[in-house]
Amino acid sequence: MGRVRPQEVIRRVACFLVFAVCLSAPGLAQDPTTTFKVNVRLVRLLATVKDANGQLIGSLNKGDFSVTDNGVPQEVAIFGRQTEEPLSVAVLVDSSASTGIEQHYELESVSKFFKALFFQGNPQDTAALYSFNWVVTLLSSYTRHFARLDTRLKQMHSEGGTSMYDAIFLSSGQLELRDGRHVMVIVTDGGDTTSVKTYHQALQAAQMADVVMYPVLVMPITNDAGRNIGGENALTTLSQGTGGRVFKPSAAAELDRAFAEILLELRTQYLISYYPRDVPPSTDRFHTLKVNVRDRNLRVITRSGYYGESNESTKGLGR
């Protein structure tokens, strides 16, 4: 267990990446014309489908889906229904001073979530636990040991500000290195107050790590006066941009139900993958994705896009 400071982690990761590139491409520094073709990467989408009543639909086939990348139709290369790919779940718990009153109920629900994740799902599912206040603390790295996670939860206490964007940024970097599906659950009462990273940097890190984000917004204040509406809106757009959704439980029972619904969605996801072909250039490297199904009465929930190179940067390289 240790404190993870954003500047230190970013510096170490940057040094590691430079070192790794030098090892893997020894002639790179001597050849200024060397170009990487990265737009052939397999783009993986995790999608949830619901009907007009909000009920999950898990019986669709590959031919029911269509995908466009920057407006260009793509061919689905890999399709999985109710995917059995293992989950890596990063649980981020707000331990700032403002959460003190509600924290007991929050930690009990998180503990139940860990137990259900390990005892009802894929035997390779793992979870990591972070707390965040004015700093981000990794309480437990990825594990299947429920007792370890439960012990770490009981050691949490509330103090300081809220560095939520830093927590998203740092945990996304660690999720990106893991196999299988990447999920982030954020338990918080509102907005960010002390992060070094911005909202956009946090969102980009999550999208680059193929993270599906589920914020659980615990609101001790139920009326608009005194609530952090800006923080709530930020969490809503973060979840929508990554293909998840935000929960706003107002009581302990609703908090348990929110975690149960997250698990149900994770067990009913579709895996849709394709290799980008003939995609027009993106000036900011962001590719906008659209996923539809034949039945117009159904709604697909997936991430809004991904970061990668466009065809403009790979002209003349061939396929």
Side-chain angles (χ1 to χ4, degrees), residues 130-179:
Y130 298 79
S131 68
F132 60 94
N133 43 48
W134 62 278
V135 293
V136 182
T137 303
L138 175 61
L139 298 175
S140 174
S141 56
Y142 286 93
T143 182
R144 283 188 55 81
H145 294 287
F146 168 75
R148 179 191 303 172
L149 292 163
D150 194 49
T151 298
R152 298 292 189 263
L153 280 170
K154 292 175 180 176
Q155 294 173 348
M156 288 182 57
H157 62 278
S158 301
E159 63 176 348
T162 309
S163 296
M164 181 177 66
Y165 298 147
D166 288 348
I168 294 171
F169 184 90
L170 293 171
S171 57
S172 293
Q174 295 177 357
L175 270 171
E176 189 173 5
L177 303 176
R178 299 186 62 79
D179 294 330

Side-chain angles (χ1 to χ4, degrees), residues 65-84:
F65 290 86
S66 61
V67 180
T68 62
D69 185 327
N70 279 354
V72 178
Q74 301 294 313
E75 180 180 352
V76 176
I78 299 174
F79 177 82
R81 186 170 57 203
Q82 296 180 335
T83 176
E84 288 299 319

Side-chain angles (χ1 to χ4, degrees), residues 83-295:
T83 176
E84 288 299 319
E85 279 200 340
L87 291 163
S88 291
V89 184
V91 178
L92 283 51
V93 181
D94 187 343
S95 59
S96 62
S98 61
T99 65
I101 297 176
E102 302 292 324
Q103 193 176 73
H104 173 70
Y105 301 106
E106 296 171 12
L107 300 185
E108 280 190 351
S109 290
V110 172
S111 180
K112 294 175 186 176
F113 173 78
F114 284 139
K115 185 177 292 186
L117 174 68
F118 297 147
F119 299 145
Q120 298 176 13
N122 188 309
Q124 296 181 354
D125 291 346
T126 59
L129 177 63
Y130 298 79
S131 68
F132 60 94
N133 43 48
W134 62 278
V135 293
V136 182
T137 303
L138 175 61
L139 298 175
S140 174
S141 56
Y142 286 93
T143 182
R144 283 188 55 81
H145 294 287
F146 168 75
R148 179 191 303 172
L149 292 163
D150 194 49
T151 298
R152 298 292 189 263
L153 280 170
K154 292 175 180 176
Q155 294 173 348
M156 288 182 57
H157 62 278
S158 301
E159 63 176 348
T162 309
S163 296
M164 181 177 66
Y165 298 147
D166 288 348
I168 294 171
F169 184 90
L170 293 171
S171 57
S172 293
Q174 295 177 357
L175 270 171
E176 189 173 5
L177 303 176
R178 299 186 62 79
D179 294 330
R181 293 179 286 163
H182 302 162
V183 178
M184 188 180 298
V185 178
I186 308 169
V187 185
T188 183
D189 66 348
D192 189 288
T193 60
T194 55
S195 281
V196 174
K197 295 299 178 182
T198 66
Y199 163 87
H200 294 288
Q201 288 173 315
L203 176 59
Q204 180 174 343
Q207 288 175 325
M208 292 185 70
D210 295 344
V211 169
V212 180
M213 192 179 299
Y214 291 97
V216 179
L217 182 56
V218 181
M219 298 181 291
I221 303 172
T222 56
N223 59 316
D224 287 346
R227 278 171 51 183
N228 189 327
I229 302 299
E232 294 176 26
N233 292 338
L235 287 166
T236 299
T237 53
L238 279 168
S239 64
Q240 291 173 343
T242 60
R245 65 181 175 119
V246 67
F247 293 84
K248 299 180 181 180
S250 59
E254 291 185 12
L255 188 58
D256 289 343
R257 188 158 51 249
F259 283 111
E261 289 187 27
I262 291 172
L263 278 176
L264 182 60
E265 288 197 7
L266 295 177
R267 307 296 184 211
T268 322
Q269 285 180 325
Y270 295 90
L271 173 64
I272 303 169
S273 303
Y274 69 95
Y275 293 97
R277 293 290 184 267
D278 302 319
V279 180
S282 297
T283 56
D284 60 357
R285 295 177 50 241
F286 186 76
H287 292 231
T288 300
L289 296 174
K290 296 290 184 183
V291 181
N292 294 306
V293 290
R294 290 178 178 177
D295 188 340

Side-chain angles (χ1 to χ4, degrees), residues 38-44 77-78 210 272-276 303:
V38 298
N39 74 326
V40 297
R41 59 168 267 190
L42 182 71
V43 177
R44 301 168 70 256
I78 299 174
D210 295 344
I272 303 169
S273 303
Y274 69 95
Y275 293 97
R303 57 181 167 140

